[in-house]
Amino acid sequence: MRISAVGAARGYSHALRRALHTPVATAFGGLTLGLALGASALAFAVLYGYLFRPLPYANPTRLYVVRQRLVNVGMRGPLVSVRFYRRLKRLPEFHDSGLFTIDDGTVTVGGRNVFAHFSAVTPSIFPLLNVKPFMGRALSEASELPDGPHEVVLSYGLWQRAFAASARVLGQSLIVGGTPMRIVGVMPRNFVFPIPHTEFWAPFVITPRRLASGNINYEMLMRMPPGWTLTGINSVLKTVRNAELHRETQADQARAMKNGYVIDAIAYRRMLLSYAGGVAPFWGLFGFTLLLLLMAVVNSTSLALTRQRRRLGEMSLRKVLGAGNSSVARLIVLEHLPEWIIMVATGVTVAVYCIRLLHAHQLPSPYMPFEIRFDAVAAVYVGVASLMVFLCIAGSSVGASLLSRPSASAVQEIAQRGSAGRAFRNAQRAMASAQICIALVLVVCGALVTRSLIGLLNQPLHFQVRRLTVASVMLPRTIHVATFWRQARTALREIPGVQTVALGHMVPFGESAEGGTFYPEGHPEQRTWAWMPIVSPGFFNAMGAHLLAGRDFAPRDEQPKSHSVIVSVALARALFGHSDVVGEELDQGMRIVGVAPTLPWKLDPASDHEGYAVYVPVGARRNHYVHVLIRSDASPGIVMSAVRRVFRTVAPAAAIYRMRTLRQMMNGASLNREAFAWLVAGFGVLAFLMAVSGTYAIVAYGTRLRLFEFALRQVLGATRGKILALALRETAALLLIGGAVGVAVTYVVVGGLRSMLYGVSGLVPWALLLALALIGMSVLLAAALPVWRASRVSPSSIMIQ
């Protein structure tokens, strides 16, 4: 036993010395694998956080959202009307359900007005989620009635910040939009619904006006009853829809069918994921990192085999001296341990750092109840992935050593190395082709995603971005937006350097969005969904946009009963077939007085509803969350300070939510796509470098084995150019095989990415040819370097060895 322990210690010592004898190779291999492992762990944490981490509610997989949609006219959101909710609530399948909506407003805390996100919920929401308050109670059933009590439940964060975590908070008042609300409870620390930044929960009051209206603007959450499936629930909802249509006239039925009237339910997580672009980006990102990790494994395995073949003499001598296969295998495995340790340490460091970087940039979105963290699940993934990588690399080295036959003759050992093991050479060629294939896939995908991002950021805007500052303001309910604007615009125009000022409750790439369906007067069958921005006179001038026809809003259009509207040219063409629509009327007597260019309201055109918009003048609609636009020659910092002073003077009860330049708003809107594009492009660069370095190592080793052959050819009269061409033919064959397979794989992968690409229809030839040329020239250059060096060695110095 003592001798065995001494032998094991010597084996460990030898393995460590061997690893330290080649520190550059060990560190390079560990760092390369660590970068790929860290990228894979990051993508896994994102994938798990969005798609698999349980939502913080009881039985979250049983939570579903009911939707009323007109899919053919753009109404595809997960919304219902109050009247429809009440009708479903009477059915036993939908008894465990509730209604909620996300809202924001000014809250007076300690005499100070602040902006806050909150949610209006029916009292059934809290039992539905099976979450009890940390302190006090939830909203009472009577709070949803028109004459019910004004109650509010605080978030744990707001309780700590605004009330210093006082136990006496219950019974105190919180003034929301000028209305005192009695605090009845405080939710637990980790409670999130429906978005993480929710500060409190107020009652969703079901008024007669809301019941009488068919306004589809609210979200309905339900818990699936035991024994039911989504198919069964959707079958019930289809029956409800058919019963609704049966009560309508034939004309209304035909119109509803033409508009694509659908009532169905989807999982709550799926609804949330739809706001984040669906599941495709997350699986795509994870797939790219797996390809990168696979390439790193192939590269490291090839390099390990190369190093192992150089030690055939040592392994043969060990076997002749009596070393068994187990001792040889143990020695080789121990030699790979330092590389494995470096890989795991690097991978964990990269993953943790990148996750913190995502949080610093508010990714995932602060409006999603998803969480990305490096926890036990991610640690298990790193452990399993690193173990598989280690077994693959160490196992291939062990296999190469054990398959070699022992020989005590140096001549025989050299002959074995010279013949070089055809199976080994074929394996290395296959790995080189695999590296070229994976590199081609990642380089092309990185180029296409980057091209898509550039296209998005450089799409036609039809407005001027420079020198435009946007102040997002929440007004108290007691202040009408038109009154506020009449007082504020005069003071804002007096700020030095200010050229134009305007107001709108929507700005391009902003957070707030509101819309509805519109159709030409008398033609409801042409109903189409469009954005509905509320803007002041001078909005287009402040944006640097020019009306294409008609006039801008005038002060007379700001009256409460004004029916003047301006439409985007895209909507004009969709509804009337041409852009000369000044004087035409939309439904509800709205008269078109101007035609505006098509502004991009969302970064991604797929979610922008074709840029359709109906502009409504300030005063015609009530809205308390507004954006003030200031175009000025002064620096943004000076403008923002002056604007804050103006608001404190003219509207001290208002809360400034955020103040940014329009360029900063655009950058924030593109953050998700930029992160995805940078990651994929970075994977492509790493894959390219791995392919070049891996090919260089393989060709360099093959050249070393063929030194005797090259010397003999030179003696027989071959020139260096012919020797170089002969050696490069094998590399060209590797390029041909890897490139052909890579083109086929890339075609399939890009097909899956098509929904995430903008301005890129598919596998464009320029990207493929550019990637092939870049990889091909780099690989050939890497292959030519060791052959050129070998051809410069004197034949006599090789043949006398």
Side-chain angles (χ1 to χ4, degrees), residues 180-262:
M181 310 282 286
R182 191 168 71 92
I183 300 172
V184 298
V186 178
M187 296 306 292
R189 181 194 298 269
N190 298 322
F191 179 70
V192 174
F193 181 84
I195 60 176
H197 284 185
T198 302
E199 300 282 15
F200 59 90
W201 293 266
F204 185 97
V205 181
I206 301 180
T207 61
R209 181 186 176 193
R210 279 177 168 170
L211 274 174
S213 171
N215 194 6
I216 303 176
N217 272 323
Y218 312 106
E219 299 184 65
M220 176 181 172
L221 185 68
M222 64 165 290
R223 181 174 294 280
M224 184 81 71
W228 280 81
T229 64
L230 180 60
T231 303
I233 288 294
N234 280 332
S235 177
V236 174
L237 290 173
K238 185 176 181 180
T239 302
V240 172
R241 186 205 68 165
N242 293 338
E244 272 193 344
L245 294 179
H246 185 71
R247 291 191 292 267
E248 303 293 339
T249 64
Q250 290 187 351
D252 289 337
Q253 292 179 25
R255 187 180 306 116
M257 298 303 294
K258 181 180 179 180
N259 292 335
Y261 183 46
V262 176

Side-chain angles (χ1 to χ4, degrees), residues 436-460:
I436 293 170
C437 171
I438 298 173
L440 180 63
V441 174
L442 290 177
V443 169
V444 171
C445 290
L448 293 181
V449 172
T450 304
R451 173 66 183 84
S452 174
L453 176 65
I454 293 173
L456 277 174
L457 298 179
N458 292 278
Q459 60 181 297

Side-chain angles (χ1 to χ4, degrees), residues 361-448:
H361 288 85
Q362 292 192 330
L363 294 172
S365 169
Y367 302 101
M368 294 289 177
F370 301 117
E371 186 177 2
I372 299 174
R373 63 175 185 261
F374 191 87
D375 55 4
V377 177
V380 169
Y381 172 80
V382 170
V384 172
S386 62
L387 181 61
M388 294 178 65
V389 171
F390 178 77
L391 292 177
C392 181
I393 297 174
S396 61
S397 298
V398 170
S401 298
L402 297 183
L403 290 177
S404 62
R405 292 173 295 180
S407 172
S409 169
V411 175
Q412 291 180 0
E413 190 271 331
I414 292 175
Q416 284 182 354
R417 291 176 60 190
S419 59
R422 179 171 298 177
F424 168 75
R425 294 286 300 279
N426 289 337
Q428 282 203 318
R429 292 186 184 119
M431 286 187 285
S433 298
Q435 291 184 67
I436 293 170
C437 171
I438 298 173
L440 180 63
V441 174
L442 290 177
V443 169
V444 171
C445 290
L448 293 181

Side-chain angles (χ1 to χ4, degrees), residues 449-494:
V449 172
T450 304
R451 173 66 183 84
S452 174
L453 176 65
I454 293 173
L456 277 174
L457 298 179
N458 292 278
Q459 60 181 297
L461 300 177
H462 305 295
F463 63 86
Q464 298 295 323
V465 179
R466 297 178 63 250
R467 304 194 310 276
L468 190 59
T469 302
V470 181
S472 303
V473 183
M474 176 57 63
L475 302 174
R477 301 288 179 182
T478 55
I479 300 179
H480 195 281
V481 62
T483 304
F484 160 77
W485 184 237
R486 282 194 297 269
Q487 298 173 353
R489 61 187 171 192
T490 302
L492 290 172
R493 288 169 180 167
E494 294 175 355

Side-chain angles (χ1 to χ4, degrees), residues 5 91 122 213 336 356 382 419 479 619 761 771:
L91 301 178
T122 57
S213 171
H336 284 284
R356 289 180 178 176
V382 170
S419 59
I479 300 179
S761 58

